[in-house]
Amino acid sequence: MSKVNADYLLIKAKNYEREGNFSSAEKLYSKILKSFPDNYRAKSKLEKIKSNLTENFNSELLSSYNKGNFQEVIEKSEKLTMQFPDKINFWNLLGCANIGLGAYDKAYDAFSTASKLSPNNFNILNNLAFSLQEQGKLDLAVELYEKVILLKPDYVEVYNAISRILKQQGKFIQAVDICKKAISINANFSSSYNMLGSIYIDQENINESINYLKKAIEIEPEYADANYNLGVAYQHKK
């Protein structure tokens, strides 16, 4: 391709953009870059188009995800991850949609790819840990949750996830310590009070359980789990 032809294609691509035909513009800019990889105008225009496209696709996927259309999100995300393999949002949404359908192994694969693209993204790591937790790989999940805490020490929801696993494993003392650590970070985090109440029910320390569950309900009166657990605690007290 000659320089004259490249300039002609640049003009043509810009005209496509004005008409809203971004797909045709993208193809022309890509064609120019094959012959002139350092063409700044073609490169910057192509990057802008791709950025706008991915933002639009991301908004559409989020809308579908929030409506519970998980299969639709999976089908679209799979195509988009092939088209834009370096965009972590598409991999993350693919993982989240698979979690919505209970396909935790597929979710793990998607989150793993996203994590490789952005190793210190604590949200991705948190999702990756959750997918392991739901597969029963509890020790591996805890390791990842702990990494999330190193990246974001005030992420109290992660402390709660760890305490839930420790409780499930019968490690009640460690679970209590983790919950209290979360409360020291955020004294109004009702989930940790509820978790403590649940742990103390299992340990048959009913008075302590009731105290913590009442605190959870004081913070969040409509907290269904805490209200249920409080009822269970009072049943144990009889």
Side-chain angles (χ1 to χ4, degrees):
M1 179 188 296
S2 68
K3 181 71 168 58
V4 173
N5 284 338
D7 289 339
Y8 168 74
L9 290 180
L10 276 171
I11 294 169
K12 192 173 180 179
K14 288 178 183 178
N15 288 333
Y16 277 136
E17 283 192 76
R18 292 191 189 98
E19 295 168 1
N21 189 348
F22 297 107
S23 177
S24 295
E26 181 184 1
K27 289 176 182 176
L28 287 182
Y29 288 131
S30 297
K31 186 175 182 179
I32 293 167
L33 289 170
K34 283 182 180 178
S35 298
F36 299 98
D38 296 324
N39 188 298
Y40 174 77
R41 286 184 294 172
K43 189 182 293 186
S44 62
K45 287 287 186 179
L46 183 60
E47 287 175 357
K48 185 177 179 181
I49 287 174
K50 285 188 174 181
S51 177
N52 290 337
L53 281 173
T54 54
E55 285 179 16
N56 290 338
F57 286 139
N58 198 57
S59 296
E60 290 175 12
L61 287 176
L62 281 172
S63 177
S64 295
Y65 179 83
N66 290 332
K67 292 174 183 175
N69 299 328
F70 301 130
Q71 187 59 45
E72 178 186 333
V73 173
I74 288 170
E75 290 171 2
K76 289 183 177 179
S77 294
E78 285 176 342
K79 292 177 182 177
L80 288 167
T81 53
M82 293 179 68
Q83 187 178 355
F84 305 101
D86 60 338
K87 297 298 180 183
I88 63 169
N89 285 351
F90 297 144
W91 289 107
N92 187 46
L93 279 166
L94 177 58
C96 290
N98 272 298
I99 280 180
L101 293 181
Y104 301 111
D105 53 340
K106 292 180 180 178
Y108 174 82
D109 290 341
F111 293 138
S112 292
T113 301
S115 181
K116 288 173 185 174
L117 292 168
S118 183
N120 293 323
N121 186 313
F122 60 85
N123 285 318
I124 299 294
L125 288 173
N126 183 53
N127 291 340
L128 188 61
F130 180 76
S131 68
L132 285 169
Q133 182 180 344
E134 292 302 300
Q135 292 180 76
K137 300 175 182 179
L138 303 182
D139 291 333
L140 290 174
V142 169
E143 286 180 22
L144 276 178
Y145 281 134
E146 288 174 344
K147 186 173 181 180
V148 174
I149 289 172
L150 287 174
L151 293 167
K152 189 170 174 58
D154 61 346
Y155 201 162
V156 288
E157 290 84 356
V158 175
Y159 289 94
N160 225 45
I162 294 174
S163 65
R164 186 176 294 108
I165 290 174
L166 293 172
K167 176 179 179 289
Q168 186 177 342
Q169 294 176 323
K171 300 175 182 178
F172 298 119
I173 294 174
Q174 296 98 313
V176 166
D177 289 343
I178 292 290
C179 285
K180 289 183 177 179
K181 175 65 176 177
I183 290 169
S184 73
I185 295 169
N186 182 354
N188 291 314
F189 187 54
S190 59
S191 293
S192 285
Y193 292 104
N194 178 57
M195 182 60 68
L196 280 168
S198 176
I199 292 167
Y200 283 125
I201 287 174
D202 288 350
Q203 289 188 300
E204 298 184 358
N205 189 342
I206 304 304
N207 288 332
E208 278 292 276
S209 172
I210 289 171
N211 289 336
Y212 281 111
L213 291 169
K214 283 183 174 179
K215 181 63 177 178
I217 294 166
E218 177 187 326
I219 295 168
E220 190 177 345
E222 302 300 319
Y223 193 170
D225 281 350
N227 280 285
Y228 172 81
N229 286 333
L230 184 60
V232 172
Y234 276 122
Q235 286 294 321
H236 280 269
K237 196 171 185 181
K238 289 182 180 179

